[in-house]
Every structure is written in structure tokens, then in C-alpha cells.
Amino acid sequence: MAAAESLFSQLVPVQAKCQGCEERRINVRVNIELQSTTNPIHRKDLVVRLTDDSDPFFLYNLVISEEDFQSLKLQQSLLVDFSAFPQRFIDLLQHCIQEQNKDIPRFLLHLVSSGPNLDHTPAFLNVVETNPFKHLTHLSLKFLPGNDAEIKKFLATCLKCIKEEKLLLEQKLRKTDEDLTRQLNYAQQ
Amino acid sequence: MAAAESLFSQLVPVQAKCQGCEERRINVRVNIELQSTTNPIHRKDLVVRLTDDSDPFFLYNLVISEEDFQSLKLQQSLLVDFSAFPQRFIDLLQHCIQEQNKDIPRFLLHLVSSGPNLDHTPAFLNVVETNPFKHLTHLSLKFLPGNDAEIKKFLATCLKCIKEEKLLLEQKLRKTDEDLTRQLNYAQQ
């Protein structure tokens, strides 16, 4: 048995940096899910996915298990446990969204790749607060770029969703047209 | 400079057969394009793609260059040249479409894979005429299954198209709603 609970799916402004290329601002869709498996053992994974609505090949994945979280907690001096972590992460993302239109945003997301472009190397997503004294990194998460098979699977899911949305729109258009035409005929009699 | 001329894109009924699995009838979208390149040398390729609207991971490709065609012509005793071939192939597909609702269709397309399923091995698309005497293969083309990178690229293209179609539908729905509501208000005054 596996179940996925969607916790967050929003566009978040990100400063993207990679080696030798100019820093640029992109809107990244951050998707956070809690995946539970009960068989063979009970386990929970926090799954974070970064995508770009305008670039179908942009895909970064991060899976944090409860064990992974213990090292992350130690390494980054976190004071919350695994169950409280997702909401704290979402709070930080919300700060970044709220600050996005300010001249000097206090909270900013950085996506930093060590490679020459954002495609084929791991990238760090850093939540950075800028105060008058310094840049303060609240969290730094390492994402892996999706491979062809993962991107293929992701695109198939997108295609399925958008096909359903399109079908609903077609039905709504037909219904709107019929309803209003009927009312119009009636009113014109 | 590369240009692609679309020659055919339709759903065609196909009998799919693979080793050890039951024969089944699927509707395959056959897409035929003529791709021209002028640089560095002038060349034309006939590109045939098989996809399944209900299975995003189903993708078979065939590229026939003018040279390839010479061996195909020899091997299968064809009497037409490269420039006439696409239309003859389309004519055969049209025969299969026309015959699809008959009890005993005279023309049938077979997609035959030597592997245990239709996914990872080359497959032959055969145009077979059944007359009282025998099965007569008019054409047999060898397709290669798309790899993850090709499927990824194909799905991204589908997604782009369907997003555009969805946008147009949304605009049309808004316009229909506005137009008819305006007319209705006017008629009701």
C-alpha cells in the first residue's frame, strides 16, 4: 500500500545560478508530497519536485526519508522533527512568495548548480534571508536532476491531467453554448 | 536548414501481435512526414512515427532516407521511386481504414514484435491483404521502439500542442459566454 498526500504545489520565484552563466530569475513550481508505504514496512518519505511550467525538460527531485532527515537535522542544526519539517519548509517558501515583489526581498530562494548549466548536475535549493549584516541560509537542500525516464514519466502525468482539463473545458463550452442559446431563443420569442 | 512537411496523421486500426501474448486490436496514430535538409547536403528523409493516444509511452520510429529506400525497393520488389512511395504507403493505410468495420477486412495492418511485449524490441508494420487464396504482404516496415529520450521529446511536443489547444478553448469559452450573455441581456430588455 502506498499513498501520497500533496502538501504544497505553487510557483515560487527562484534565483538560478550556475557556473559561468548569468544569474537569472525563474518561476519554479515546487511540489511537496508526503508518500507513505505500509508494506513491507511502514515508512514515510518527503518527496519534493521542482519543475518549470515553461520548460518541459526541467525536473529536479529530492526524496527525504526519516533516516535521511536525521542527518539533515544534524548537519543543518535543525530543531524540528521529521513530522514538523514539511510545514516549516512550506512556511519558508511562503516567505519567499510574499517577498517576491519587494525591491530588496528579505527572503530569496537560490537554485545553485555546480555545473555549467542547470540540466545535468545536482543543484542546491537554498532559502536565504538577507539582513543588514549578512546572508543567512535557513535551509539548503540537494536536488538531483531527473533522468530521461523520470522526465518521460512526469510529462506523461502532465499530459494526462491536461487532457482531462481540456475535456472538461470542451464539455463546459458545449453546455454554456446550449444553455445560453436556449435562453436566448426563449427571450427572443 | 531543415523543413518538415506533414503528409499524414490519422488513427489506423492495427492487429498487434507479440511473442506469447494474445493478439489484440489497437488504434495506432500513424504520422508520416517528409523532412528535408539542405545543409550540408541536400537530403530527404521519410519519417514515420507510430503512437497510441491512450498510452503515452508507446512510440515507434522509422526513418527512410533515399539510400535506405533503394534497399527497401530491391528487397520488397517495389516498382515506385522514393518520391512516389509516401503516397502509395498512404493509399495502403487508407485501404485499411476503409475496411476496418467490415466482418472480414480485406486489408489489415499487423504490428508484429519478436519480443515478449510491444515495448522494447523492434516491430514490423505489415500491410496485409487477405484474398481467398492467401495472406499477401504488400509492405513490411521495420520500426524501432523510442527510447526514453525520444519519448520524453515526443511527450513535450504533445504537451505544448495540447496546452495551446486548451488556451484557445478557454478563450472561446470566455467569448461564447460574453457574447451570448450580452445578446441575452439585450433580448430580455
Side-chain angles (χ1 to χ4, degrees):
Chain A
M1 278 289 296
E5 180 193 354
S6 175
L7 304 178
F8 183 87
S9 176
Q10 276 192 53
L11 284 179
V12 183
V14 163
Q15 288 292 117
K17 300 180 187 185
C18 41
Q19 221 180 38
C21 64
E22 266 189 58
E23 200 170 311
R24 64 201 168 95
R25 157 82 174 269
I26 52 177
N27 283 312
V28 168
R29 184 169 294 279
V30 180
N31 197 291
I32 306 177
E33 265 184 18
L34 197 61
Q35 290 184 356
S36 315
T37 323
T38 53
N39 191 1
I41 51 156
H42 181 82
R43 61 175 288 165
K44 283 187 175 182
D45 290 319
L46 186 70
V47 178
V48 188
R49 194 175 63 209
L50 310 180
T51 57
D52 179 346
D53 289 355
S54 66
D55 177 358
F57 302 136
F58 184 105
L59 175 67
Y60 282 91
N61 292 308
L62 165 66
V63 179
I64 308 178
S65 69
E66 293 206 53
E67 296 95 88
D68 297 339
F69 181 76
Q70 297 316 316
S71 24
L72 185 76
K73 184 176 171 175
L74 209 68
Q75 183 195 47
Q76 304 200 16
S77 316
L78 306 179
L79 299 174
V80 296
D81 61 13
F82 183 70
S83 63
F85 175 73
Q87 191 52 53
R88 297 302 175 93
F89 178 33
I90 291 170
D91 292 344
L92 287 172
L93 295 175
Q94 297 284 18
H95 282 318
C96 298
I97 294 174
Q98 281 156 14
E99 297 276 322
Q100 68 179 308
N101 293 320
K102 300 206 175 151
D103 281 345
I104 303 165
R106 201 159 65 91
F107 278 90
L108 254 183
L109 274 178
H110 290 175
L111 187 65
V112 185
S113 163
S114 50
N117 58 46
L118 262 183
D119 278 350
H120 303 295
T121 41
F124 285 89
L125 184 74
N126 302 330
V127 185
V128 180
E129 181 187 354
T130 303
N131 66 25
F133 174 59
K134 68 169 283 181
H135 294 301
L136 206 64
T137 300
H138 285 251
L139 193 63
S140 179
L141 299 173
K142 187 182 182 182
F143 283 77
L144 297 178
N147 61 26
D148 285 343
E150 288 162 338
I151 297 176
K152 174 186 92 167
K153 213 173 134 194
F154 165 68
L155 289 177
T157 313
C158 291
L159 200 60
K160 186 165 172 281
C161 285
I162 207 164
K163 272 187 180 175
E164 286 166 8
E165 288 169 11
K166 195 183 155 215
L167 197 69
L168 286 178
L169 264 179
E170 279 164 350
Q171 289 167 350
K172 195 173 169 190
L173 176 60
R174 199 163 45 241
K175 192 169 177 317
T176 302
D177 199 4
E178 281 169 10
D179 283 359
L180 288 172
T181 306
R182 195 181 319 110
Q183 289 180 47
L184 187 61
N185 287 339
Y186 181 76
Q188 281 171 339
Q189 270 171 14
Chain B
M1 277 290 295
E5 180 193 355
S6 175
L7 304 179
F8 183 86
S9 175
Q10 277 192 52
L11 284 179
V12 183
V14 164
Q15 289 291 117
K17 299 180 191 186
C18 42
Q19 226 181 32
C21 65
E22 267 189 57
E23 201 169 312
R24 62 201 170 96
R25 158 83 173 270
I26 52 177
N27 282 313
V28 167
R29 184 169 295 281
V30 181
N31 197 290
I32 307 177
E33 265 184 18
L34 198 61
Q35 290 184 355
S36 315
T37 323
T38 52
N39 192 1
I41 51 156
H42 182 83
R43 62 175 288 164
K44 283 186 175 184
D45 289 318
L46 187 68
V47 178
V48 187
R49 193 176 61 211
L50 310 181
T51 57
D52 179 346
D53 289 356
S54 66
D55 177 359
F57 303 136
F58 184 105
L59 176 67
Y60 282 90
N61 292 307
L62 166 67
V63 179
I64 308 176
S65 69
E66 293 206 53
E67 298 94 87
D68 296 339
F69 181 76
Q70 296 317 314
S71 23
L72 185 77
K73 184 175 172 176
L74 209 66
Q75 183 196 45
Q76 304 201 17
S77 316
L78 306 179
L79 298 174
V80 297
D81 61 14
F82 182 71
S83 63
F85 175 72
Q87 191 52 53
R88 296 305 173 93
F89 179 32
I90 292 170
D91 291 345
L92 287 172
L93 295 175
Q94 298 284 17
H95 283 315
C96 298
I97 294 174
Q98 282 155 17
E99 298 274 323
Q100 66 178 309
N101 293 320
K102 297 203 177 154
D103 282 344
I104 304 165
R106 201 158 65 89
F107 278 90
L108 255 182
L109 274 179
H110 290 175
L111 186 64
V112 185
S113 164
S114 49
N117 58 46
L118 260 182
D119 277 351
H120 303 293
T121 40
F124 286 88
L125 184 75
N126 302 329
V127 185
V128 180
E129 182 187 355
T130 303
N131 65 25
F133 175 59
K134 68 168 281 179
H135 295 300
L136 207 63
T137 300
H138 285 252
L139 194 63
S140 178
L141 300 173
K142 186 182 181 183
F143 283 76
L144 296 179
N147 60 26
D148 285 342
E150 287 162 338
I151 296 176
K152 174 186 91 167
K153 213 173 135 193
F154 164 68
L155 289 177
T157 314
C158 290
L159 200 59
K160 186 165 174 280
C161 284
I162 207 164
K163 273 187 181 176
E164 285 165 9
E165 287 168 13
K166 194 182 154 214
L167 196 68
L168 287 178
L169 264 180
E170 280 164 349
Q171 289 167 351
K172 198 174 167 191
L173 176 60
R174 202 165 39 242
K175 195 171 176 314
T176 303
D177 199 5
E178 281 169 10
D179 283 359
L180 287 172
T181 306
R182 196 183 315 110
Q183 287 179 48
L184 188 62
N185 287 340
Y186 182 75
Q188 283 173 336
Q189 270 169 14

